[in-house]
Amino acid sequence: MSANAMSRSLRKLGLGLKEHYGIIATNKLSLLGFWIIVLFTLVAAFAPWIAPHEPWEMLFDSKGEFAALRAPSWEFPFGTTHLGYDLYSQLVLATRTTLLIGATSGFISIIIGANIGLIAGYYGGKVDEVLMRLTDILYGMPFLPFIIILIALFGRKLEFVILAIVLIIWRTSARVIRAQTIAIKQRQFIAMARARGASDLRIIYVHILPNVLPLLLLYAAFNIAWSIITEASASFLGFGDGETISWGGMLYELWLSGKTRVAWWWFATPSVCIILLVTSLVFVSRAYEEVANPRLRKR
Amino acid sequence: MQAPKTETKQPLLSVRNLGVAYKTAQGPVHAVSNISFDLAENEVFGIAGESGCGKSTLIRSLLRLLPDSATVSADACLYRGQDLMGLPDARFRKDILWSEISLVPQSAMASFNPVYRVGDQIIESIRAHKSVSKAEARERCKALFDVVGLEAGLLDSFPHEFSGGMRQRAMIAMALSLDPGLIVMDEPTTGLDVLVQERILRRIREIRSEIKSSIILITHDIAVIAEMSDRIAIMYGGEFMEQASAVDLFEQPYHPYTLGLKNAFPSIRNIGAELISIPGSPPTLIGPLQSCPFAPRCPFAVAACRSANPEIVGLEGGQHQVRCVRHADAVGFREQAKEKAVWQF
Amino acid sequence: MAILELANLSRHFEIRPGLLDRAFKGKASSYIKAVQGLNVTVEDNEILGIAGESGCGKSTTCTMISALMEPSDGDIRFKGRSILGLKGKALKDYRRSVQMIFQDPYESLNPRFRIADIVAEGPRALGLWRGEELDRRVHAILSAVGLPPAKYAERFPHELSGGERQRVGIASALIMEPEMIIADEPLSMLDVSIRAGILDLMRDMQAQKGFASIYVSHDLSILGNVADRILIMYLGQAMEVGPAREVILNPKHPYTKALIGAVPVPDPRSRRAVPNVRGDLSKPIDPPPGCRFAPRCPHADESCKTKFIALDTQDPQKHQAACHKLAEIGHG
């Protein structure tokens, strides 16, 4: 497919990049959030080149002394842990893990949620009944304990953490997309598409999907934010992947070290990053909320 | 501007040079401009126009129901001699809105709260303005339901138990509840079946002799406005193009837009007559008007129409007001306008 | 020749009582008889107008004709062959032959599609044409309905006026080269001043391309203007059918008389006649077997409540009314 044809079909699906930047740029906070996310993404992409040390490398300062529990300084910008690990390097490398888990589980969960929502909403009847009862069952599960049990069952590996998050996080998006699908299904242009001979799948994916897209992107951002929080919580409780460093894992190590009251920098750096990234995602999603629900738009 | 012939009595409502502008990203939109009219006691004044002509904005400005982005200006807006423009919002809401000027909105469906009984909602609106007991208010409701032709038993029903026509009649009862001097009806029968519409409009005509209220009726339906109104204004591009008694307006129209509307509107009395549409589409109204708003669609437009917005001229002793440069040629236009070719330019 | 025949067409909707009512009170289901025993034809190249108030069954009838809903009883024959139970390619072919134009030009166009894509959607969904052939046809039909493609093809629906949108709706029906068009109140959402233009467009296209039409409207003054024949329906039953002028100038059925008398006239000196009907419009839930207008009819007697006359389709040009009392009521 030529680049031109590609951009045309993306645009038809409502995925034109320019339009989306336009949507984000309408709101100053969303724009700020967008650039913060871009920054984190760049850090994640180039993490091994940015980080000066290995995450679990015991360091000695320029005078040759063991660099344990150092407050931020020129040499160790974000300080060190009680075992002399460089928090700056840990943070940079953890960004990669956190973003990977967040983006992957956010992306997979929105695809599952959107499809279940579209299919349940469009077909209605028994299909809807079965899919929505399934969603209800997931709603009945307490979030964190469920994920912890899953990870305990599967093992503390990155892909299982993602799987566990995905398995539960799609529920909200499925419900919301279903409601929106039902509303759009009743609009006349859907009747028109059917009268013109469009098949069910064509109606769902060509006619309805672009109309739920703003909502979809809104919930994609939410799902990513939720995944990041969930991963951090699970890791903090010791249910993250022990082999890779993550923001939640850094907090877990702080907890294990028993230095919480002493090493404010150890506590501050991952926490600020979590808050900053999640808030940025929420800010970006706000721009889509205005598109998805025009009533929120300022008059 | 020539003042309309004043009767011995002071008019109920007298509006001079009313304008409404909306703030938008593209600049101010002058949705309504240069509106002047006098409404006599017990008169039905019909305002006809198509979507976007500003008729809804006009009546919402009278009722102060516009969003914050709208600015209303007027040289005068006198209700029984009292200037409404200078009245603070709180006073307006307490002393004027509903008790003196009430509204029958377009969608009666959406105007009743679905979780309360219809009767209770009307009682509520009476007691919000008048210190009467519940029992007295209920008696009043019964009388009102009788006036609009609904059974008193329906007072205890919920809105969803009403048909569309019944809901609209209940809305009219609610608008009548405080004996207002003026009732504004916004497309009161649009979307109702023809037999139901006939019955509601007949009822409104019948109660005109019992109540003393004046009515401003706005609709896009020229047949309904012809049937109901004493006087009619034709609105286009936010302005009155023509204003006259109903009979004069239909039998001796001066403005080309009025002629065009008459051509475009089918009549069951004259089936098979060719319908002629007006070419083009309405103006966007961004920025003040520098020409006649209808000029781009008008087959009779000349250079003067495009260089300035025409002033209102009072004809037939001031009773027939027209905003058209070429009003002197109207007699010829009335014949020419019946030709379809004239409108295809 | 009749292109479409509706024979004894009926559609009933079941209303099931709540679970508790069914279990403890033994309540049976009731039925909304939305369309009952409808006989009518659409002749080649003609416009059949269907008129009636809300709940008269005109929309249900159209939905059944466009094969989006199955009838409960009776038959729909298109060019002599029943369309019931059509599947696969035969159904697609039929859907292509019968195109709809919708009422609401603001709702019937997908807001996220460009005009060219809206018009091309039908052919794409059915795989009729592609590539340049499709582009050529889209441009040709847009020009034909008065929307120059250079100006309109790449726009979105919200950038168009109501009249322009309705033209898009017409174009996307006509590109399918239909043999019949069903237009459901295509003018009711449009401004008066541009209605005549859309009406002219529909008539021109019909003259050029030679298809039959069903034109549904509650507005008898427009139907009188556009239709060749008019069918009057009331609560799912056909009340009267005949040539448009005949039905409007010389209505036979008491209901038609009331309906036509109640149409407002744009003349301040005229007053509509007070319609000779009683009571309010009801819903056709478990209706008695007779004429459904009988409870409101000033001429009705016991026989009207038990027996209903179905119209016949022997002579499409015949002016006939489904009423026992015609002789008694007389004309005028």
Side-chain angles (χ1 to χ4, degrees), chain A residues 46-114:
Chain A
F46 298 106
W49 292 278
I50 297 173
H53 307 284
E54 290 295 312
W56 290 295
E57 186 186 342
M58 289 195 188
L59 296 177
F60 297 86
D61 63 16
S62 46
K63 291 175 203 151
E65 284 176 38
F66 182 48
L69 277 186
R70 294 290 172 86
S73 63
W74 280 112
E75 204 175 354
F76 307 105
F78 291 165
T80 61
T81 73
H82 69 307
L83 294 177
Y85 306 151
D86 178 29
L87 278 170
Y88 172 68
S89 302
Q90 283 202 339
L91 197 77
V92 165
L93 292 161
T95 305
R96 198 173 225 204
T97 322
T98 303
L99 235 63
L100 186 74
I101 292 178
T104 317
S105 41
F107 190 66
I108 300 175
S109 63
I110 198 70
I111 288 182
I112 297 176

Side-chain angles (χ1 to χ4, degrees), chain A residues 8 11-14 19-20 186-199 202 206-214 291, chain C residues 68 92 95 98-114 117-118 121-122 124-126 154 169 172-173 176:
Chain A
R8 252 187 86 96
R11 207 180 54 189
K12 207 179 290 170
L13 267 174
E19 288 160 40
H20 285 283
Q186 284 154 355
R187 290 181 62 181
Q188 218 174 28
F189 60 83
I190 299 301
M192 174 151 145
R194 197 173 303 139
R196 300 270 183 274
S199 62
R202 193 175 172 87
V206 178
H207 292 268
I208 297 180
L209 181 62
N211 284 287
V212 298
L213 202 78
V291 181
Chain C
L68 296 173
K92 278 192 172 178
R95 287 228 170 114
V98 177
Q99 288 294 318
M100 293 193 77
I101 295 171
F102 290 87
Q103 172 179 15
D104 190 340
Y106 297 89
E107 264 292 301
S108 60
L109 307 183
N110 193 328
R112 303 196 67 91
F113 276 39
R114 282 166 206 273
D117 290 324
I118 291 172
E121 175 56 18
R124 273 193 194 132
L126 295 181
E154 289 293 302
S172 53
M176 308 292 278

Side-chain angles (χ1 to χ4, degrees), chain C residues 4 6 9 38 40-42 47-53 56-62 65 182-185 213-220 223 226-234 237-238 240-241 259:
Chain C
L4 184 81
L6 307 182
L9 189 67
L38 180 61
V40 74
T41 62
V42 182
I47 302 180
L48 174 75
I50 303 183
E53 298 176 279
C56 75
K58 49 190 198 244
S59 297
T60 310
T61 306
C62 289
I65 296 173
I182 301 171
D184 188 357
E185 302 264 17
S213 304
I214 293 177
Y215 190 112
V216 177
S217 179
H218 68 281
D219 188 337
L220 279 160
L223 276 189
V226 66
D228 298 307
R229 287 192 303 137
I230 292 180
L231 168 73
I232 307 276
M233 291 181 75
Y234 182 79
Q237 289 174 335
E240 181 158 359
V241 71
L259 199 60

Side-chain angles (χ1 to χ4, degrees), chain A residues 72 78 87 91 250-251 254 260 263-275:
Chain A
F78 291 165
L87 278 170
L91 197 77
M250 288 168 72
L251 290 171
L254 167 65
T260 319
W264 59 267
W265 57 91
W266 192 355
F267 171 73
T269 34
S271 312
V272 166
C273 283
I274 292 171
I275 293 169

